[in-house]
Amino acid sequence: MAILSRRVQQIGTENAFKIGPYINEVAATGRKVIRCNLGEPDFPLPAHIREEVKRQLDNDMTHYVDPQGILPLREAIAADMGARRGLDVTPDRVVVFPGGKPPIGFSQEAYCDPGDEVIYPSPGFPIYESFTRYLGLTPVPLHLDEQKGFAFSGDDLAPLITPRTKLIILNFPSNPTGGVATRGQLESIAEVILSRAPADARVYSDEIYENILFDGSRHFSIASLPGMAARTIIASGASKSYSWTGGRIGWAVLPTAAEAQVFKTLNINYFSCTAGYNQMGAKVAIESPESPGTIEHMVRAFQERRDHVVGALNSIEGIRCQVPKGAFYVFPNIAGLCERLGALDLHERLPADVKPGTSPSTLVQMFLLFRYGVATLDRRAFGVIGSEGRHFLRISVATALDDLKEGMESIRAASRDPDGFAAFVREGRRLS
């Protein structure tokens, strides 16, 4: 008899955290590791937010609070989210969570029964796909096209919608690709949803990177389009915009107050509530006139790093990399590098018990970490289903420019080391 349930054996993970022990293993040998794996800004929490958290701790804001989120924060979220999207958002439709991940799983729990279908972008944030298997839902990956800037249109979405579609996940700006949808693309997506999706289907619009935009790009929410606010869950949070990943403050605007109450109930069952002192810090983050300047400073640094990394990658034989318009990742195509290093052939010859858990780009990822001290993530980390034959890496530019310069030179050196790569794979120690 198995100790663990079949359900829990189906849940996935986020490889950005999974490879942490591998990074520690390499670092323990004395080698410096350039950490391009985590989606975590390397900037400190802005002082005005930090001071508010301290003040709230001194005020004993350390007890249970409203499981839906404290009213002052929900009012700030409603005003900000509504004003920037041209929507009338009321606080009773806002729910606060300990981070941006809970509403992803809660949406699948709240709206879907076993066998219902969830459409999600692939490559995409891995938790989208992970929860579908855990809950017995049917995952329907929408594979993003590199030639379309990793965005998509209604024509790409339409063939995937069926009578069993219950949730359609969007993520712009995108993790891991940095893709940003134009208004025209979102209009075509909305048209297809309104005309083809079941009336009870919901859209989950993950807009956590809404403030991280480059080259004059603008964020546009599908909820702003006619007919879509009533069908869309708008999710965002404090982790990326305010460099506050450890604060664990996320939020969502639900289509109705009744739906918000369902998410509040889920909060009660899982967490009771989110730390009140951090919620008050998030209120200051949203409302303070100091916040836009700190975000702008951070985005300028990310854009400078992006420009260097994209240029460096495109100068390496076997790699091509588009210029992302948002988030703080680049997503190079390494198909040529896999061929140059012999990764395709070596992967094909792996033992039968090893091969299913890895890919040619996984082998490259591990080689870069264990032999050249650069931590990246492979294509499989962002959706396993249908990832075969798609050879990409995600490189986070949320690390210091000097480190990124060093990391790009290490990747260049690794690209010229097919013998070292073959020897690494033959060792067979760290291939997945």
Side-chain angles (χ1 to χ4, degrees), residues 6-7 10-12 108 128-139 384-385:
R6 288 189 296 272
R7 179 184 65 253
Q10 294 299 310
I11 200 165
Q108 297 190 29
Y128 303 151
E129 184 173 284
S130 172
F131 265 106
T132 61
R133 292 171 162 176
Y134 177 62
L135 297 171
L137 313 179
T138 301
V384 174
I385 299 170

Side-chain angles (χ1 to χ4, degrees), residues 24 80 117 173 175 186 194 233 253 263 291 301 323 329 348 375 380 405 421 427:
N24 294 338
D80 180 67
E117 296 173 357
N175 173 18
L186 289 172
L194 292 170
I233 302 128
V253 175
F263 282 68
S291 292
V323 181
Y329 312 107
E348 188 63 30
R380 281 174 54 89
K405 289 178 178 179
F421 180 79
E427 286 179 11

Side-chain angles (χ1 to χ4, degrees), residues 149-200:
F150 297 109
F152 64 95
S153 69
D155 289 340
D156 303 302
L157 174 63
L160 304 183
I161 294 177
T162 77
R164 295 304 302 269
T165 300
K166 289 300 294 289
L167 196 64
I168 300 169
I169 300 176
L170 309 181
N171 175 215
F172 297 114
S174 167
N175 173 18
T177 68
V180 175
T182 65
R183 178 174 180 135
Q185 287 168 325
L186 289 172
E187 287 174 340
S188 72
I189 292 168
E191 181 181 356
V192 166
I193 291 170
L194 292 170
S195 63
R196 298 199 183 194
D200 59 354

Side-chain angles (χ1 to χ4, degrees), residues 31 366-373 417 420 423-424 427 429:
R31 178 189 289 274
M366 293 301 186
F367 177 59
L368 289 175
L369 174 58
F370 282 94
R371 291 293 183 267
Y372 284 87
D417 188 13
F424 171 76
E427 286 179 11
R429 289 186 60 246

